[in-house]
């Protein structure tokens, strides 16, 4: 319409590179001899459409990953707060557990409104994603009131402090898997 007003010659054809690739290639090969330049603009639009589609897809995927990670953080915090309640009730509920990351525990309820630690892991499904959560306990060593590695010369075991690490793992078919860990130091005082 606008090209006709300015008396600019043009051809208007709609072709699909997907459905009729041979026709499209033949047209593109013979176009320069006919002085046709609009194919360039058409290809740019196609590539831009593909780029925009990919950007939107990546953005949606990023939002999904963010949603999954946020849920993992909240599951970890819930587990950490539950462990705090168990420790407040009786410090020995934690000190009697085997230490190191090889010994995993989760919170279970034996009676209404009472949490206890049980050996193993707990699966929680939220929004079609299954999370596995657990805690493990590590001994805490000190040197001059600072927390140090057990291999530090002169370090001593602090029986009044425990390092609790709440861990949440997940695997999602579309998003892959990941792990979130949150260490917390708890003291009996």
């Amino acid at each position: 319409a606008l090209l006709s007003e300015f008396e600019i010659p043009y051809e208007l054809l709609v072709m699909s590179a997907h459905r009729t690739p041979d026709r499209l290639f033949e047209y593109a090969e013979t176009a320069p001899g006919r002085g046709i330049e609009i194919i360039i603009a058409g290809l740019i639009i196609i590539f831009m459409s593909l780029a925009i589609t990919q950007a939107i897809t990546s953005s949606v995927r990023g939002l999904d990953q963010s949603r999954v990670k946020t849920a993992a953080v909240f599951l970890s915090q819930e587990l950490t707060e539950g462990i705090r309640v168990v420790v407040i009730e009786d410090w020995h509920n934690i000190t009697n557990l085997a230490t190191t990351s090889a010994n995993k525990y989760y919170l279970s309820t034996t009676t209404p409104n009472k949490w206890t630690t049980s050996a193993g892991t707990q699966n929680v499904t939220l929004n079609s994603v299954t999370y596995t959560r657990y805690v493990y306990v590590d001994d805490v060593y000190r040197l001059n009131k600072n927390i140090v590695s057990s291999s530090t010369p002169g370090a001593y075991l602090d029986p009044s402090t425990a390092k609790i690490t709440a861990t949440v793992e997940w695997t999602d078919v579309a998003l892959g898997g990941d792990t979130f860990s949150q260490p917390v130091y708890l003291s009996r005082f």
Side-chain angles (χ1 to χ4, degrees):
L2 186 61
L3 295 174
S4 297
E5 285 181 34
F6 290 104
E7 298 179 4
I8 298 173
Y10 66 93
E11 291 181 20
L12 177 62
L13 297 172
V14 177
M15 285 187 248
S16 170
H18 176 70
R19 293 186 191 123
T20 57
D22 293 337
R23 182 176 172 212
L24 178 67
F25 287 126
E26 179 185 335
Y27 183 80
E29 287 175 352
T30 60
R34 296 190 313 270
I36 296 175
E37 297 178 9
I38 195 70
I39 287 177
I40 295 171
L43 289 175
I44 290 172
I45 291 170
I46 290 169
F47 288 124
M48 287 179 62
S49 297
L50 291 173
I52 289 169
T53 302
Q54 185 176 7
I56 290 170
T57 303
S58 296
S59 177
V60 169
R61 182 179 167 98
L63 288 172
D64 286 344
Q65 288 174 335
S66 177
R67 175 186 51 83
V68 169
K69 288 180 181 180
T70 300
V73 169
F74 284 119
L75 287 170
S76 172
Q77 289 173 342
E78 180 183 55
L79 186 56
T80 300
E81 290 307 311
I83 292 295
R84 286 181 200 272
V85 170
V86 169
V87 167
I88 288 170
E89 183 179 275
D90 185 353
W91 176 249
H92 297 293
N93 288 334
I94 291 298
T95 59
N96 290 337
L97 299 177
T99 58
T100 75
S101 60
N103 300 294
K104 299 175 181 178
Y105 301 94
Y106 68 98
L107 290 175
S108 60
T109 53
T110 54
T111 60
N113 302 323
K114 181 168 172 55
W115 280 334
T116 60
T117 54
S118 298
T121 62
Q122 178 186 40
N123 288 335
V124 178
T125 302
L126 297 172
N127 299 321
S128 303
V129 177
T130 301
Y131 300 86
T132 302
R133 68 179 178 175
Y134 57 89
V135 298
Y136 60 89
V137 181
D138 283 313
D139 289 325
V140 173
Y141 289 84
R142 293 190 182 270
L143 180 64
N144 301 326
K145 298 183 182 180
N146 296 315
I147 296 174
V148 296
S149 167
S150 61
S151 62
T152 301
Y156 62 90
L157 176 65
D158 179 355
S160 298
T161 306
K163 178 183 177 185
I164 311 298
T165 303
T167 301
V168 179
E169 302 170 344
W170 65 93
T171 302
D172 182 77
V173 176
L175 302 173
D178 208 346
T179 301
F180 174 78
S181 294
Q182 176 180 4
V184 176
Y185 290 90
L186 300 177
S187 176
R188 73 181 198 184
F189 301 112

